[in-house]
Amino acid sequence: MADSIMSKAATMEIPINSNGDTGTLPEDDSLEQDLQQVMVSGPNLNETNIVSGGYGGPAGGIIPTSTIKGKEDKPAFPVSYIRMKSRGITLPKSQSATSQLSQHTDQHPGSSNHNGSNPSEEVTRGVAVEKLDSVKKWGINTYKCTKQMFSERFGRGSRTVDLELEAQIDVLRDTKNKYENILRLATALINHFQSMVQTQQALGDTFTDLSQKSPELQDEFGYNAETQKLLCKNGEALLGAINFFVSSINTLVNKTMEDTLMTIKQYENARLEFDAYRSDLEELSLGPRDAAAMVRIEMAQHEYQIHRDKYERLRSDVTIKLKFLEENKVKVMHKQLLLFHNAISAYFAGNQQQLEQTLIQFNVKLKPPGSDKPSWLEEQ
């Protein structure tokens, strides 16, 4: 049926008037109905076979196509467009087949292709651009700071100096080095004294064993055993006081002072950046004053102001931290030095009562014997 209708449409005569326009056809309505019927009842591309070798080719060249599941297939061209083409009416450029097809596609969103940009790709592209800009800024900043550093080292550039603050920073670094030396010596004292206490404990156990096995020297071995045990007990109390002293000094040096020194390092980096952009601005100010140079000077002035604010903010932070560090250092060291003195004096004076009072006064808690050894569950 489709072949007969198509042949009818192909052999039909279309009268043309003198102006080249198509005349009215009596069969227009029937032709339109026939075309619609062909488009509805015609073969579906999804259910046909594609012949790779042309018409009349071998059967081996037939490629079956799969059926696409989805919405109902729509004709590639609207009926109104086919009707006008069958009448020989030429469409203007604004109403060409492409525009008609696009209008038909807009009416059916399901058939539109998805060639638009993917939001995830745009986000990825934006992140890549931001990373590239950050790397570029980092490179420029590193170059300027390196140039300023070498200029200062070789005496060709000027640097911003706060004499009072620099003196306080030097004092802090020197104090930290000396306190670290105190930590090393106090740790060595703990190790040596702990070995002596362990030796005294072993010696006391030996005297106790000999006092039981030597009846003729039982009293003498007993006295020495009790003395060594008393010295061992006092030694453990002194070890507790020295350990508390070392722990407090370690917190002061490796946490409080180190935090202040980290802020000082940030301050010194900000000072170097500030001087680098200051020197850059001074060089541009001495150059020509054309339009391009004025733009560069304005940008350099902006960067200079940013790094100046950062430098002044960090300088204020360093000044405040140095002040609080000094107050905290005096308070902590006053307590710890008093503890160390009283504990050492009481131990070597043999005043067990004063040694115990010192531990209570400074809230020093002794570890029970054998607490450093792992439990039997941990050993398994």
Side-chain angles (χ1 to χ4, degrees), residues 48-338:
T48 58
N49 295 331
I50 300 175
V51 181
S52 61
Y55 291 100
I62 298 177
I63 304 174
T65 60
S66 60
T67 301
I68 301 176
K69 296 181 180 180
K71 295 185 178 180
E72 184 180 357
D73 294 336
K74 304 291 182 179
F77 295 92
V79 176
S80 59
Y81 172 73
I82 299 176
R83 184 192 311 157
M84 298 178 71
K85 292 296 291 182
S86 65
R87 294 176 180 177
I89 300 175
T90 304
L91 295 176
K93 294 183 179 179
S94 60
Q95 296 181 355
S96 60
T98 306
S99 62
Q100 292 287 338
L101 181 59
S102 63
Q103 293 177 2
H104 177 69
T105 305
D106 293 338
Q107 295 176 359
H108 303 280
S111 62
S112 60
N113 54 357
H114 302 278
N115 293 330
S117 59
N118 194 355
S120 61
E121 294 180 356
E122 294 181 358
V123 173
T124 305
R125 190 180 301 109
V127 172
V129 171
E130 291 180 359
K131 289 184 178 180
L132 184 61
D133 291 340
S134 63
V135 170
K136 181 180 178 180
K137 292 180 180 179
W138 174 83
I140 296 174
N141 185 71
T142 303
Y143 168 75
K144 292 180 181 294
C145 293
T146 305
K147 179 181 177 182
Q148 177 66 24
M149 182 178 62
F150 279 104
S151 298
E152 294 176 1
R153 183 166 298 181
F154 291 104
R156 297 179 181 177
S158 60
R159 63 187 299 265
T160 304
V161 179
D162 189 337
L163 296 178
E164 182 180 358
L165 187 59
E166 294 291 337
Q168 294 178 4
I169 293 174
D170 292 339
V171 171
L172 173 60
R173 286 173 174 162
D174 184 64
T175 302
K176 184 175 183 292
N177 292 332
K178 292 180 179 178
Y179 278 29
E180 287 176 346
N181 189 32
I182 292 176
L183 276 177
R184 287 192 295 268
L185 295 175
T187 304
L189 177 62
I190 289 175
N191 294 332
H192 295 310
F193 198 77
Q194 189 171 8
S195 298
M196 187 184 72
V197 170
Q198 292 175 355
T199 304
Q200 288 176 342
Q201 184 177 3
L203 189 58
D205 294 338
T206 303
F207 285 154
T208 302
D209 184 61
L210 289 174
S211 65
Q212 296 175 358
K213 295 181 180 180
S214 303
E216 66 279 3
L217 298 174
Q218 183 177 4
D219 295 338
E220 288 78 3
F221 279 127
Y223 297 151
N224 283 277
E226 292 177 0
T227 302
Q228 295 301 321
K229 289 180 180 180
L230 181 60
L231 291 174
C232 181
K233 181 180 179 181
N234 293 339
E236 290 177 352
L238 180 60
L239 281 174
I242 299 176
N243 280 322
F244 187 78
F245 172 80
V246 169
S247 176
S248 300
I249 301 300
N250 182 66
T251 302
L252 177 64
V253 172
N254 294 323
K255 291 186 178 180
T256 309
M257 290 185 178
E258 189 65 28
D259 178 70
T260 305
L261 289 174
M262 288 294 296
T263 307
I264 290 173
K265 187 174 182 61
Q266 295 176 1
Y267 157 75
E268 292 176 345
N269 292 335
R271 197 276 310 164
L272 184 63
E273 292 178 354
F274 166 68
D275 286 337
Y277 283 91
R278 177 182 56 81
S279 301
D280 188 25
L281 179 60
E282 291 175 354
E283 291 179 2
L284 291 175
S285 300
L286 297 176
R289 293 302 184 92
D290 54 355
M294 293 303 296
V295 173
R296 290 195 297 268
I297 290 174
E298 184 178 355
M299 293 177 61
Q301 180 70 31
H302 178 68
E303 294 291 336
Y304 164 79
Q305 188 63 36
I306 292 176
H307 288 85
R308 179 182 178 181
D309 295 340
K310 180 181 178 181
Y311 165 73
E312 291 179 351
R313 175 174 53 83
L314 287 173
R315 182 176 63 179
S316 177
D317 293 344
V318 170
T319 303
I320 295 173
K321 283 194 173 185
L322 286 174
K323 180 180 178 181
F324 282 110
L325 176 62
E326 184 66 23
E327 295 177 357
N328 188 30
K329 182 192 71 174
V330 173
K331 186 185 298 184
V332 170
M333 292 306 298
H334 174 76
K335 178 181 178 180
Q336 298 304 318
L337 290 174
L338 187 60

